Amino acid sequence: MELSRELSPAPCARSDRFLIKMASHGAALSVSKMISPFWGGRLGNTMKVFGTTLTSHRNKSLHTPPPAKYGGRHTVTLIPGDGIGPELLNHVREVFRFSCVPVDFEVVHVNSDVQTEEDINNAITAIRRNGVALKGNIETKHTMPPSVKSRNNLLRTSLDLYANVMHCQSLPGVQTRHKNIDIMIIRENTEGEYSSLEHESVSGVVESLKIITRNNSLRIADYAFRLAREKGRRRVTAVHKANIMKLGDGLFLQCCREVASGYPDITFDSMIVDNTTMQLVSKPQQFDVMVMPNLYGNVVSNVCAGLVGGPGLVPGANYGRDYAVFETATRNTGKSIAGRNIANPTAMLLASCMMLDHLQLYDHASSIRNAVLTTMNETRLHTADIGGQGTTSEVVQSVMRVIQSKGQLTSEL
Amino acid sequence: PAGASRSTPSNTPTSCGCHGCMVQDPTQFDVLVMPNLYGDILSDLCAGLIGGLGVTPSGNIGANGVAIFESVHGTAPDIAGLDMANPTALLLSAVMMLRHMGLHDHGNKIQTACFDTIRDKKVLTKDLGGNSKCSEFTAEICRRIQDLD
């Protein structure tokens, strides 16, 4: 059994070796479906709702392996951000400390009030060093001059985190109008309408450049199809507006078609973005995997988050060839609810679980994820954004109690 | 603009960057103004929220009061000429036109009759779940207008 990692792990659980062995067969199977029966008995029904994100260990893997462990512990960059970011990330650290997760956080603050890029450059360097980051949203103040770019955007483009992945699933414990939603959204994360290229050649007439390149379109389409195959998904839908932006979105669509031809087992279709949003609010169950350029990705992500219960519930991940950054899927700062202990910690906790999966700490990821979902679906302890009256700390305490009750090693409650 | 004549508590424009807000609680919104692409997306999204393009009216207002009112659904060639189509979208667009022309009484009367017919659920076209013909639906609206007079 050959592994592409340099270091082999310290005594790992029997379960880890089983998973590695299966992955190294390179089979294009839905690995999450395979492990369900294995984990099912231990973790109950909530496990079936959220399968783990497994990565293959070969060179064709979608996600790069995490950097070598040092003393058995990983170092992850943590960017608290603004608004509710700092308090939610504190809760993540609390849960990690409680569960004895072998992760140390290197905290890098980014001040959104200053115009220099020193802070964000420090953050980028830290992420290059550690390979993985967990972040809150950094506010982009409208009062700043236009030359001051969005810090979040700078981070994504500098690290070339080209794929933004969001998995929207209906949660049984949350009241929503539509049920049985299970959509994966893959959004191109570096170009498109977010190129920050605007000019005003004539006063009062602004031109913005939307950049679509063949390279990046092929890259994101390839990512989408490989992810679809890895997860055993049947259909990929490209979202575009090529009837109007014939060259830009036309190129994107063309690239998707080219990549699709290499995956005959997966159905490919396309839909215009305005029709897509209409279909999403009336019949969201028809969608499986969706791939799209940057701006439409922003719109569709937000709509889907709203459909499953709101921005407090869905985690998001940004993947590049060499780095991965995890955050909440809808990148809100939540300024109006900051510091009031009412924010929903679910999205950030689930994002931290995605990060743990990326670091191949699958046991810890499952344990925390299961506890969060149990609190959501069985205990039904909800924060205000999903109609409950619980505080953030009450939800976090409940999560830790569930973890403790499963009998794993924990520190003091 | 579109028939709603509520007055907002304050006239300060606010900005919202989250389409999720629209999906979770659309009632918080009143009048929205935006550039072209966002309008394209959001108008279809909202049409989906209220029942689809079959019931959504629209108008295009130009300079000097020139205006074209239209339904935004397609030509539906498969049901054309079969007395099956739902005329609501085009009818409400015509109501918008009447209001634009200052004929508010007529506009209100037709709108009320149309909404009452739909609310009553007795005479509905196929897309709204009934099995009445287009002409029957229209006749019902005309009858109600007569009753209102």
Side-chain angles (χ1 to χ4, degrees), chain A residues 241 245 273-275 277-278 281-282 295-296 298-299 302-303 306-307 309-311 332 385, chain B residues 15 17-21 23-24 37-38 40-49 52-53:
Chain A
K241 188 85 191 164
M245 282 170 270
V273 60
D274 45 352
N275 189 23
T277 52
M278 186 160 60
V281 300
S282 40
L295 182 67
Y296 311 147
N298 175 261
V299 171
N302 274 269
V303 171
L307 288 173
N332 310 319
D385 61 312
Chain B
S15 68
C18 181
H19 287 76
C21 308
V23 170
Q24 289 189 277
L37 179 67
Y38 309 146
D40 194 7
I41 295 171
L42 213 53
S43 55
D44 269 36
L45 195 159
C46 292
L49 290 174
L53 293 180

Side-chain angles (χ1 to χ4, degrees), chain A residues 236-386:
Chain A
V236 174
T237 307
V239 178
H240 65 97
K241 188 85 191 164
N243 52 339
I244 302 294
M245 282 170 270
K246 299 183 164 71
L247 292 183
D249 286 351
L251 175 60
F252 183 84
L253 199 54
Q254 173 61 24
C255 293
C256 289
R257 287 205 183 100
E258 278 178 35
V259 173
S261 60
Y263 292 82
D265 52 318
I266 298 175
T267 315
F268 172 71
D269 58 10
S270 62
M271 198 183 273
I272 298 182
V273 60
D274 45 352
N275 189 23
T276 307
T277 52
M278 186 160 60
Q279 298 295 324
L280 276 170
V281 300
S282 40
K283 263 190 320 181
Q285 296 80 8
Q286 63 182 293
F287 295 103
D288 192 357
V289 178
M290 301 167 81
V291 63
M292 61 204 83
N294 215 331
L295 182 67
Y296 311 147
N298 175 261
V299 171
V300 169
S301 304
N302 274 269
V303 171
C304 289
L307 288 173
V308 298
L313 295 178
V314 194
N318 305 281
Y319 295 107
R321 200 194 58 178
D322 304 314
Y323 313 108
V325 175
F326 301 87
E327 57 180 348
T328 61
T330 50
R331 304 153 169 168
N332 310 319
T333 12
K335 257 195 337 186
S336 55
I337 54 172
R340 289 162 56 187
N341 200 19
I342 54 174
N344 194 337
T346 306
M348 195 60 90
L349 282 168
L350 292 177
S352 70
C353 293
M354 287 179 81
M355 182 198 76
L356 290 174
D357 278 327
H358 182 78
L359 294 173
Q360 291 161 20
L361 296 168
Y362 303 115
D363 277 350
H364 285 288
S366 307
S367 154
I368 297 173
R369 184 180 290 123
N370 170 63
V372 171
L373 295 177
T374 303
T375 304
M376 171 77 49
N377 300 326
E378 286 166 41
T379 323
R380 305 227 166 189
L381 181 57
H382 293 171
T383 42
D385 61 312
I386 45 176

Side-chain angles (χ1 to χ4, degrees), chain B residues 22-33:
Chain B
M22 181 62 77
V23 170
Q24 289 189 277
D25 181 24
T27 59
Q28 62 182 299
F29 295 103
D30 193 357
V31 176
L32 301 167
V33 61

Side-chain angles (χ1 to χ4, degrees), chain A residues 144-324:
Chain A
M144 293 278 189
S147 55
V148 177
K149 299 189 189 161
S150 151
R151 297 319 186 210
N152 306 300
N153 200 17
L154 267 176
L155 204 139
R156 290 191 291 269
T157 50
S158 308
L159 296 169
D160 201 23
L161 301 168
Y162 65 89
N164 177 258
V165 180
M166 175 177 169
H167 189 181
C168 271
Q169 271 182 306
S170 298
L171 296 176
V174 181
Q175 261 302 85
T176 51
R177 188 186 160 83
H178 298 280
K179 313 260 180 242
N180 299 317
I181 298 172
D182 190 350
I183 306 174
M184 295 207 74
I185 300 165
I186 292 124
R187 163 187 175 185
E188 206 291 323
N189 217 8
T190 56
E191 58 176 24
E193 301 83 347
Y194 289 65
S195 312
S196 306
L197 293 170
E198 299 182 302
H199 51 262
E200 192 172 356
S201 307
V202 173
S203 169
V205 179
V206 174
E207 285 181 299
S208 284
L209 294 178
K210 164 176 164 161
I211 311 292
I212 301 279
T213 59
R214 189 174 159 73
N215 262 7
N216 291 347
S217 303
L218 284 173
R219 188 167 67 162
I220 195 67
D222 187 57
Y223 186 95
F225 277 92
R226 279 194 298 155
L227 188 69
R229 184 173 270 173
E230 188 182 284
K231 303 280 190 171
R233 302 287 213 155
R234 322 260 72 211
R235 208 170 116 230
V236 174
T237 307
V239 178
H240 65 97
K241 188 85 191 164
N243 52 339
I244 302 294
M245 282 170 270
K246 299 183 164 71
L247 292 183
D249 286 351
L251 175 60
F252 183 84
L253 199 54
Q254 173 61 24
C255 293
C256 289
R257 287 205 183 100
E258 278 178 35
V259 173
S261 60
Y263 292 82
D265 52 318
I266 298 175
T267 315
F268 172 71
D269 58 10
S270 62
M271 198 183 273
I272 298 182
V273 60
D274 45 352
N275 189 23
T276 307
T277 52
M278 186 160 60
Q279 298 295 324
L280 276 170
V281 300
S282 40
K283 263 190 320 181
Q285 296 80 8
Q286 63 182 293
F287 295 103
D288 192 357
V289 178
M290 301 167 81
V291 63
M292 61 204 83
N294 215 331
L295 182 67
Y296 311 147
N298 175 261
V299 171
V300 169
S301 304
N302 274 269
V303 171
C304 289
L307 288 173
V308 298
L313 295 178
V314 194
N318 305 281
Y319 295 107
R321 200 194 58 178
D322 304 314
Y323 313 108

